[in-house]
Every structure is written in C-alpha cells, then in structure tokens.
Amino acid sequence: MKLFDLHCDTLYRAYTEKSTLFNDTFHISFGKSAYIEEYIQCLAIWIPDEYRGERAEKLFWGCVGKLKETELFQCRTRADLAGVKKSGVILTVESGAALGGKLENIAQYAEAGVRMMTLTWNGTNELGDGIGVEQAGGLSAFGVQAVKELEKHRIVLDVSHASEKLFDDVAGIAKKPIVASHSNAKAVCSHRRNLTDEQFAVIRQSGGIVGLNFCVDFLNNDPQKASRYDILRMAEHFWSLGGEKCLAMGGDFDGADIPTDMTGIESMGALYELFLKHNYRESLVNDLFFNNAYAFFENTFDRWDKNGL
C-alpha cells in the first residue's frame, strides 16, 4: 500500500508539546509508518484563531525549525516528489493568520517550503471569515490580495474551514486549482465543516482535490457511532459525483478525534483492506490512497516549474 495524506497536525503537536515526529503516542509517527510502501504526508502548521501578528509568525517559524530538526525528506518540486524513496513530507499551513497580516511573508513562507495554505480556521482572521463565524462574510480586501500573492508564489489555496461566502469568493478569483485538504460530504454528515455537493463540483471542475477527514464529528451525525465504515460512505458519495480522480485522504490525524476502530497511521492498512473487501477495484482504491494526490502535486509542481507560475 502507498499513502499520500493531505492534512495532519502532527508537526504542530511535536513543536508545541516539545516532542518529535517519531512519537509513537501520536496518531502519526514516522516510526510507525514503515510498513507503508511509499508515504507522503502534508504536515500542517496550525495557527489557532486567537493567534495574531507576531505571535502567529513566531508559531510558524517555530514549527519550521522543528521540521528542520528531522531528516525527513521535504518535497518542494516535481523532482523532489519523484525522488521520494520511502517517505517524504510537504509543508502546509492551516490558517492564513500565519501571515501576521503581512503580504511580504508569503514569499518568505514559500521559500521555507510551504506549498499549500488553508486560508482560515473556524474564526475570523485577516483574510476573512471561517465557517464558525455567525453571519460570515467572505474575503477581506487583504484576503483578496493574499489569494493573488499566494498563487503568485506557488502556494495552493485550501478552502477547508472557509465560510460559504469566502469559498465563493476564492472560487471566483482563483486562477489555479483549489483544494479542500480535509473536508467531507455534507450530504452524508450535515456538519457545517463539510462540503456541499455544489462546492465539491467547483473544486473538481477547477482541477483541484478533496481529502477525506477522519474527525468523528464530520463522519457521522452521531459522532459516537463514527467508524471507518463512514470513511467508506464518504468516498462512495464523492465517487457518485464524479470524484474518482479528485478524491484523496486528508485524515486530520493529531488534530481531531478519530473513530474508535482506528488508532492512527498504523490503521491505514486495515482501511485500505476495507475498501477492497467491499469489491472496489484496486486501481480506484490506489487512486484514493495515493495516486490522485500525487498526480495533483506532480501536475502543480510541473506547471510551476515550466511556466514560473
């Protein structure tokens, strides 16, 4: 089995808990992933909603420093992706609050290796409103500028956590594919964090990708009953909408409560087998677990390398 996962909070945990990315008590430990044939993990730097300005910037750079302490292979280009032998990581950011309200930080973060940014978390930041804001608006004037600069500096726009208006604003001005790195289907579980079928169609039509989230609240309307079978249900729904080539994994490991029949990265093999036992063809399951996310970043990096965009 190969695995490409679009979102986890393990780097944030390792930094804030003064631990490592090889802590076997975390959902993800790169020591526990050795059974995976090839493993690429997007490592998010989460910025809590109460962090602003210099405090948010300091958290970002602290997490970057934590990543540098490891010997994990960081993928910044198409050549890096192709060079992954066993495991690799892609640096991402969860919440544009990380910018501290400064457009000039975008170039610096890109230089540090950031390749995808979730524009908001649940609340309001300098870019606009998240899904948890009552009577939420969309992108702020700064947010509009930031979207353009992020695309200019080769950072993929991630609309997980976005308010409906912010999602629409981003979809209206983005010139490159957009992503929901860790979001499920609202038609299956009605939580506000999940995507409508219409939003999924917008992402698919943009050439983007959606990562399935393992958070129990986003999997089942009764979170206590959530199981890995709900992940299967989510995939089935998105596949029914034409998502065979734009659906991936975005587990939210180390950032969410996961089903009781899963413990972390070591559970992904059993999840893979669950899909096969339900008679889904192996090529489709491989696309979900690895190929679609790999192709998305391969194509994105290739376009940037060729066109400087």
Side-chain angles (χ1 to χ4, degrees), residues 17-159:
E17 298 179 25
K18 296 180 173 57
S19 186
T20 76
L21 292 166
F22 293 83
N23 185 333
D24 286 348
T25 68
F26 289 177
H27 287 155
I28 290 178
S29 163
F30 284 86
K32 294 193 295 184
S33 66
Y35 75 97
I36 301 173
E37 180 184 347
E38 185 175 341
Y39 175 38
I40 300 175
Q41 179 65 57
C42 292
L43 294 174
I45 299 175
W46 176 47
I47 308 297
D49 277 332
E50 63 270 22
Y51 280 58
R52 288 291 182 273
E54 184 178 344
R55 188 183 184 199
E57 295 173 74
K58 182 178 179 181
L59 176 56
F60 171 83
W61 288 113
C63 290
V64 170
K66 175 60 68 173
L67 179 58
K68 287 181 178 178
E69 292 176 6
T70 75
E71 295 182 357
L72 295 174
F73 183 69
Q74 189 172 345
C75 299
R76 301 166 180 256
T77 66
R78 188 179 188 276
D80 289 340
L81 273 183
V84 172
K85 301 302 182 186
K86 180 66 176 176
S87 63
V89 300
I90 295 176
L91 184 62
T92 73
V93 171
E94 185 173 24
S95 178
L99 299 175
K102 303 173 184 176
L103 290 176
E104 58 267 29
N105 276 336
I106 293 174
Q108 295 182 45
Y109 291 6
E111 181 65 25
V114 172
R115 292 296 177 262
M116 181 165 64
M117 182 177 289
T118 314
L119 301 180
T120 68
W121 198 56
N122 292 332
T124 298
N125 66 25
E126 294 89 346
L127 281 71
D129 289 342
I131 194 62
V133 178
E134 296 295 330
Q135 299 180 328
L139 287 170
S140 65
F142 176 82
V144 171
Q145 292 179 291
V147 164
K148 295 176 180 178
E149 285 295 303
L150 287 165
E151 290 196 323
K152 176 183 175 182
H153 289 283
R154 308 180 178 190
I155 296 176
V156 173
L157 305 176
D158 182 357
V159 292

Side-chain angles (χ1 to χ4, degrees), residues 55-278:
R55 188 183 184 199
E57 295 173 74
K58 182 178 179 181
L59 176 56
F60 171 83
W61 288 113
C63 290
V64 170
K66 175 60 68 173
L67 179 58
K68 287 181 178 178
E69 292 176 6
T70 75
E71 295 182 357
L72 295 174
F73 183 69
Q74 189 172 345
C75 299
R76 301 166 180 256
T77 66
R78 188 179 188 276
D80 289 340
L81 273 183
V84 172
K85 301 302 182 186
K86 180 66 176 176
S87 63
V89 300
I90 295 176
L91 184 62
T92 73
V93 171
E94 185 173 24
S95 178
L99 299 175
K102 303 173 184 176
L103 290 176
E104 58 267 29
N105 276 336
I106 293 174
Q108 295 182 45
Y109 291 6
E111 181 65 25
V114 172
R115 292 296 177 262
M116 181 165 64
M117 182 177 289
T118 314
L119 301 180
T120 68
W121 198 56
N122 292 332
T124 298
N125 66 25
E126 294 89 346
L127 281 71
D129 289 342
I131 194 62
V133 178
E134 296 295 330
Q135 299 180 328
L139 287 170
S140 65
F142 176 82
V144 171
Q145 292 179 291
V147 164
K148 295 176 180 178
E149 285 295 303
L150 287 165
E151 290 196 323
K152 176 183 175 182
H153 289 283
R154 308 180 178 190
I155 296 176
V156 173
L157 305 176
D158 182 357
V159 292
S160 286
H161 290 281
S163 70
E164 291 185 8
K165 289 184 178 178
L166 190 139
F167 181 104
D168 291 342
D169 285 349
V170 173
I173 66 174
K175 297 185 182 301
K176 308 294 187 298
I178 59 176
V179 166
S181 66
H182 56 303
S183 294
N184 291 337
K186 189 170 287 187
V188 179
C189 174
S190 60
H191 197 284
R192 65 188 181 186
R193 263 279 282 112
N194 288 339
L195 298 170
T196 65
D197 290 354
E198 293 75 18
Q199 289 175 323
F200 180 76
V202 168
I203 295 170
R204 177 175 57 81
Q205 291 163 9
S206 81
I209 196 165
V210 171
L212 295 177
N213 192 320
F214 302 164
C215 176
V216 294
D217 296 294
F218 311 154
L219 285 172
N220 194 305
N221 288 321
D222 185 349
Q224 293 183 342
K225 295 181 179 179
S227 74
R228 61 192 182 202
Y229 288 89
D230 292 303
I231 301 170
L232 177 67
R233 290 196 306 141
M234 289 293 172
E236 289 173 335
H237 180 76
F238 283 135
W239 284 336
S240 76
L241 301 177
E244 294 89 348
K245 292 297 183 181
C246 65
L247 191 62
M249 292 296 176
D252 211 355
F253 280 139
D254 290 307
D257 293 326
I258 62 175
T260 56
D261 58 357
M262 300 180 72
T263 56
I265 194 68
E266 64 273 19
S267 302
M268 294 304 291
L271 182 63
Y272 181 89
E273 292 298 324
L274 177 68
F275 278 86
L276 295 181
K277 288 177 182 177
H278 278 73

